[in-house]
Amino acid sequence: MPAHDSSVSDAAAGVSGLSAAPVRQVLSDSVYEGIKAMVMDHEIAPGARVGIEALARTLNVSPTPVREALARLEADGLVVKRSLSGYRATELLTRQGVEELFEMRLLLEPRAAALAARHADESQLDAIEGILEAMQAHPGPAGTYAAYRDFAALDQRFHDAIAEAAHRPLLADAVERLHAHLHVFRLRSLQSEGDPTLAEHGRVVRAILRRRAERAAEAMAEHLTRSLERQLGRFERS
C-alpha cells in the first residue's frame, strides 16, 4: 500500500472519541490530501483518468470520501469532471500559460502590495509578518508534495493576506482566484534549498511595514518576475 495510505487509516483510527461528524471530516480531509499528493507528485499523471473505485481500494476507504475529495480537487483546478468519462487530472500549464498567469499577477499584485502599505491595519501587518516567520520554519519547495505542502500553503496565504490588506475586495478576490491556478504547475523539478523566495518575501514585508507603497510595489514586481524566470527555467531543463 502506498505511503500515504497509512495517513488515512491513522486519521480514522485516532479519533474514536469524537462524534461521527468530526470523524467523517477528518477522514474526508485525509483522503483529499492523499489524492492531492498523488496528483501533485504525478502518481496520477497529467490528463490521466481518475477512477473512484480504484482510488477507494488504494486508500482503503469507501467511494464516498473519494467523491468528496475529487469535488474539492475540481474546485482547486487539479482535476476536471467530464460528462460520461468521469474525472481526469488536469494537464500541466504550457509555457504560454505560465507566462499569461504571471502577466496577470504582475498587473494585480504589485498594486495590492502598494495599497497594503497604505491601508493595512496593525492586525493585518502582524498577520503578514507572522506568515513570513512561519514560512521560515518549513522546508522550502523541494522534494515531494508532502515535503513542501505547508510551505506552499503559507506562500499562497502570504500573497492572499497582502491582497486582503489592500482593502480592495475585488482586487483581493482576483488575486485569490489567480493563485488557485498555481497548483497546476505540478512540476517534478522543484527549487533547491537555496531558493530565494523567503528573501524576496522579506523585502516585500519590510516595505509594507515601513508604509513605503512604491517600494512595496517594486519588491512584489521583482519577486514575481524572478519567480517567473525560475518557472520558465524548468521548461528549458525539461
Side-chain angles (χ1 to χ4, degrees):
M1 185 177 293
H4 51 258
D5 292 3
S6 60
S7 65
V8 178
S9 300
D10 292 345
V15 292
S16 57
L18 301 178
S19 64
V23 169
R24 177 171 177 173
Q25 186 60 50
V26 169
L27 179 61
S28 177
D29 290 345
S30 296
V31 172
Y32 165 78
E33 288 294 344
I35 300 173
K36 184 175 182 178
M38 295 168 76
V39 174
M40 295 290 283
D41 291 332
H42 295 195
E43 291 181 41
I44 298 174
R49 184 176 178 276
V50 183
I52 292 174
E53 295 295 337
L55 280 174
R57 288 192 297 272
T58 297
L59 297 174
N60 194 29
V61 296
S62 73
T64 297
V66 173
R67 291 190 184 94
E68 293 171 350
L70 290 175
R72 291 171 63 182
L73 291 168
E74 183 180 21
D76 290 342
L78 284 172
V79 301
V80 292
K81 187 177 184 180
R82 304 187 189 281
S83 60
L84 304 179
S85 62
Y87 287 97
R88 289 187 178 275
T90 53
E91 298 286 353
L92 296 179
L93 282 180
T94 63
R95 182 188 180 99
Q96 180 179 346
V98 172
E99 290 174 336
E100 290 179 1
L101 176 60
F102 273 85
E103 181 180 28
M104 292 300 298
R105 294 188 71 189
L106 280 162
L107 287 172
L108 297 176
E109 294 196 53
R111 177 62 174 165
L115 290 170
R118 294 191 183 111
H119 302 301
D121 59 37
E122 290 302 316
S123 66
Q124 290 171 325
L125 293 176
D126 288 343
I128 293 168
E129 194 171 20
I131 294 169
L132 179 62
E133 292 173 355
M135 291 183 73
Q136 294 169 347
H138 289 283
T144 65
Y145 167 70
Y148 72 89
R149 177 183 63 198
D150 292 339
F151 184 94
L154 287 166
D155 181 68
Q156 183 167 335
R157 281 179 55 197
F158 176 81
H159 286 271
D160 289 346
I162 290 174
E164 184 177 349
H167 289 261
R168 296 291 190 275
L170 290 178
L171 175 59
D173 183 64
V175 169
E176 184 177 358
R177 288 176 183 273
L178 281 177
H179 291 163
H181 294 285
L182 294 178
H183 289 307
V184 298
F185 284 134
R186 304 201 311 279
L187 299 176
R188 293 181 184 276
S189 177
L190 295 163
Q191 286 126 311
S192 66
E193 293 181 0
D195 175 61
T197 296
L198 284 175
E200 293 167 7
H201 281 188
R203 287 190 282 273
V204 175
V205 171
R206 285 192 294 274
I208 292 174
L209 292 176
R210 294 169 183 169
R211 303 293 188 179
R212 296 178 59 189
E214 290 186 8
R215 179 56 193 144
E218 291 170 359
M220 181 63 80
E222 289 169 3
H223 166 51
L224 293 175
T225 299
R226 291 176 181 175
S227 181
L228 173 59
E229 291 170 353
R230 292 191 288 270
Q231 301 294 349
L232 294 182
R234 294 171 181 167
F235 286 95
E236 295 170 2
R237 294 192 297 271
S238 60

